[in-house]
């Protein structure tokens, strides 16, 4: 359970699932999209500030901030990427990441000592909170990820949704300890004795994820159930878009593809998707930026999920708003 919890939290930074490139056999869904869907994705992407690029340099006066968009789970191509980033990491004064090893340990300890964070400890289980049809899909999906349905039934809805966002084909990597680019970057920084700090505390993450009452969280479970049939293909699509450095288009794809695939009122879906983006991206980005802007080190590296880079509240636009000049760098 601890491993699943850890990677469920990591998965929240990218809305479509991410996984090991070689282990998952899904197909890139983008060539199959309708002309209308492609046009909408292109329009939404064009409206975003900084929709592309996984490596940027921001300068303001004598301060330089290097921004790296990461993917939280493993892909063998990351080995070359982190090697190319090694000189930048070795020469920086500070590495800022979403969660450090210390905060991750504190988070896991908090869940271990307070089961109310991730589990339903009072009232009906999820079996009695969703329709039998939805629960049958969720139970089978949990079983594929090594979670017995009786245990999944006691998960808080946010915890189950995050767990199911990890494709089953990715689990072997997770259990084998093969890590994503963010942790590879942290390992390089530790080798160079570079200080590493978290952009948010474990308590803030808990408060963010578990803030809504269970009945409110349940609204998202039909989305998770209805997308289960395309999880491998969504994984392949995410990986392809990440290495093409198309994080803005990937978020637009996630919205349009999900909306068009599920049996959900479009207006209600749009409201739910916007709410999810506000919780997982916008609010966190703005919190991070207050802390980034308070740092006075001359050289800083920021390594966060690529979904946090683009958009009005994205790290890149927020740096520009604060007077930084940005230049895209080779990734």
């Amino acid at each position: 359970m601890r491993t699943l919890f850890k990677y469920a939290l990591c998965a929240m930074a990218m809305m479509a699932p991410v996984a090991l490139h070689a282990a998952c056999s899904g197909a890139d869904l983008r060539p199959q999209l309708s002309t209308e869907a492609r046009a909408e994705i292109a329009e939404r992407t064009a409206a975003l500030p900084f929709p592309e690029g996984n490596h940027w340099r921001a300068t303001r006066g004598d301060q330089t901030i290097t921004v790296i968009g990461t993917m939280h789970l493993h892909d063998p191509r990351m080995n070359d990427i982190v090697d190319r980033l090694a000189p930048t990491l070795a020469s920086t004064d500070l590495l800022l990441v979403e969660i450090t090893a210390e905060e991750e340990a504190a988070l896991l300890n908090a869940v271990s000592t307070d089961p109310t964070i991730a589990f339903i400890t009072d009232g009906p289980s999820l079996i009695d909170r969703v329709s039998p049809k939805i629960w049958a899909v969720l139970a089978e999906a949990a079983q594929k990820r090594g979670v017995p349905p009786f245990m999944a039934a006691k998960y808080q809805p946010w915890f189950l949704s995050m767990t199911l966002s990890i494709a089953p084909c990715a689990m072997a990597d997770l259990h084998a300890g093969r890590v994503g680019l963010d942790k590879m970057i942290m390992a390089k920084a530790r080798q160079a004795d570079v200080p590493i700090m978290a952009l948010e505390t474990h308590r803030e993450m808990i408060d963010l994820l578990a803030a809504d009452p269970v009945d409110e969280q349940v609204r998202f479970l039909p989305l998770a159930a209805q997308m289960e049939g395309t999880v491998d293909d969504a994984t392949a699509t995410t990986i392809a878009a990440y290495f093409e450095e198309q994080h803005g288009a990937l978020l637009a794809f996630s919205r349009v593809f999900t909306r068009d695939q599920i049996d959900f009122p479009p207006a209600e879906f749009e409201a739910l998707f916007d709410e999810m983006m506000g919780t997982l991206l916008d609010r966190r980005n703005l919190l991070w930026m207050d802390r980034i802007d308070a740092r006075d080190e001359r050289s800083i590296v920021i390594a966060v999920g690529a979904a946090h880079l683009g958009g009005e509240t994205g790290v890149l636009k927020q740096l520009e708003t604060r007077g930084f000049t940005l230049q895209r760098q080779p990734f």
Side-chain angles (χ1 to χ4, degrees), residues 47 66 151 323:
T66 298
M151 181 180 291

Side-chain angles (χ1 to χ4, degrees), residues 91-210:
S91 62
T92 196
D93 299 319
L94 177 67
L95 171 62
L96 294 174
V97 296
E98 295 180 45
I99 185 169
T100 60
E102 293 76 15
E103 285 293 335
E104 185 177 282
L107 178 59
L108 294 172
N109 181 66
V111 173
S112 299
T113 56
D114 182 3
T116 64
I117 294 172
F119 292 88
I120 298 172
T121 58
D122 185 36
S125 73
L126 294 181
I127 296 174
D128 298 315
R129 295 177 187 264
V130 298
S131 70
K133 181 180 178 180
I134 294 297
W135 176 247
V137 176
L138 296 174
E140 182 180 359
Q143 187 79 57
K144 289 179 180 178
R145 291 159 176 83
V147 181
F150 77 87
M151 181 180 291
K154 300 297 291 183
Y155 279 7
Q156 293 261 359
W158 70 264
F159 186 20
L160 181 59
S161 295
M162 292 297 176
T163 300
L164 299 187
S165 73
I166 309 168
C169 57
M171 288 299 176
D173 257 7
L174 303 186
H175 293 303
R178 289 184 285 270
V179 299
L181 186 58
D182 48 349
K183 291 195 174 182
M184 296 170 72
I185 286 172
M186 283 189 271
K188 284 287 185 184
R190 284 192 292 270
Q191 291 173 8
D193 292 325
V194 172
I196 305 173
M197 293 185 62
L199 286 165
E200 57 197 346
T201 68
H202 73 280
R203 190 69 247 179
E204 287 167 339
M205 294 184 72
I206 290 171
D207 292 343
L208 178 78
L209 292 167

Side-chain angles (χ1 to χ4, degrees), residues 26-39 41 232-241 244 249-250 253 257 261:
D28 188 340
L29 292 163
R30 292 174 297 174
Q32 305 173 29
L33 295 173
S34 67
T35 300
E36 293 77 12
R38 292 186 191 187
I41 290 169
D232 285 347
D233 291 340
T235 296
T237 307
T238 299
I239 292 167
E244 293 168 8
L250 178 59
F253 164 84
F257 177 77
Q261 288 293 309

